[in-house]
């Protein structure tokens, strides 16, 4: 019984170590969270952006470096650092993000041809702004979301 517990503990510790965020990423993330996010600055009109949608809960704008002919960022005004911090009280807000994405896809003329919604969370997904946001991408045939193994 003691050996089984020891093996389980070692297994847990090794997977935590192997699957955790790198120290460099953790440091960068902590620094960025300490400051207001660039999205909060846009919401507060401290930075300019091409805003395409706004209501009391959500703002949507064109990113500085678009990755597709149509690329919009849909951002809740409530600052939630990562998807891992979402709570049950955010249920309606998250649903509204999808409804705004649907509306914007239609307005941008990509609702019928197709579009992608993407939310990155933490290091392996490439999250660099620690304020939850959804990417709306379309306007061309999009490649696979990740490299495909052959």
């Amino acid at each position: 019984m003691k050996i089984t517990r020891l093996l389980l503990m070692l297994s847990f510790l090794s997977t935590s170590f192997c699957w955790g965020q790198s120290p460099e990423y953790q440091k960068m993330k902590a620094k960025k969270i300490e400051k207001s996010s660039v999205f909060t600055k846009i919401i507060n009109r401290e930075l300019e952006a091409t805003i395409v949608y706004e209501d009391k809960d959500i703002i949507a704008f064109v990113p500085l470096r678009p990755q597709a002919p149509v690329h919009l960022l849909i951002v809740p005004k409530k600052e939630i650092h990562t998807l891992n911090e979402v709570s049950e009280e955010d249920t309606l807000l998250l649903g509204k993000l999808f409804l705004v994405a649907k509306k914007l896809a239609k307005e941008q003329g990509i609702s019928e041809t197709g579009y992608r919604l993407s939310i990155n969370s933490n290091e392996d997904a490439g999250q660099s702004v620690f304020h939850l946001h959804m990417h709306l991408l379309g306007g061309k045939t999009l490649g696979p979301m990740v490299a495909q193994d052959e």
Side-chain angles (χ1 to χ4, degrees):
M1 190 69 150
K2 287 182 182 181
I3 292 174
T4 305
R5 281 188 197 162
L6 179 62
L7 289 173
L8 284 171
M9 285 277 281
L10 287 173
S11 172
F12 173 75
L13 290 172
S14 66
T15 41
S16 295
F17 176 74
C18 295
W19 296 100
Q21 298 170 8
S22 70
E24 297 82 18
Y25 185 82
Q26 289 177 26
K27 194 181 296 184
M28 178 270 299
K29 180 179 176 180
K31 269 188 191 175
K32 286 188 171 188
I33 287 174
E34 191 176 309
K35 301 183 219 175
S36 267
S37 79
V38 66
F39 298 161
T40 299
K41 290 177 181 176
I42 290 170
I43 292 163
N44 294 335
R45 302 305 194 267
E46 296 168 26
L47 290 176
E48 289 187 29
T50 303
I51 297 169
V52 297
Y53 177 89
E54 184 172 18
D55 65 26
K56 69 180 182 67
D57 300 312
I58 294 174
I59 190 167
F61 51 89
V62 178
L64 289 177
R65 292 180 296 279
Q67 304 295 309
V70 174
H71 185 177
L72 301 175
L73 298 175
I74 306 166
V75 182
K77 290 183 175 180
K78 176 182 179 182
E79 193 168 302
I80 302 168
H81 297 127
T82 73
L83 198 52
N84 294 336
E85 294 178 12
V86 168
S87 68
E88 283 191 37
E89 75 180 32
D90 300 317
T91 302
L92 291 175
L93 181 62
L94 294 177
K96 192 170 185 183
L97 281 176
F98 283 91
L99 292 173
V100 169
K102 173 186 154 186
K103 174 186 177 2
L104 292 172
K106 185 170 177 123
E107 288 176 3
Q108 296 290 318
I110 60 172
S111 62
E112 295 303 317
T113 56
Y115 57 95
R116 177 175 294 157
L117 299 176
S118 175
I119 299 173
N120 299 324
S121 191
N122 284 324
E123 187 171 19
D124 284 353
Q127 184 181 8
S128 60
V129 177
F130 298 96
H131 186 137
L132 182 71
H133 58 286
M134 177 184 286
H135 296 260
L136 168 65
L137 300 147
K140 70 175 189 176
T141 301
L142 301 171
M145 290 183 50
V146 295
Q148 303 293 308
D149 293 334
E150 305 211 9

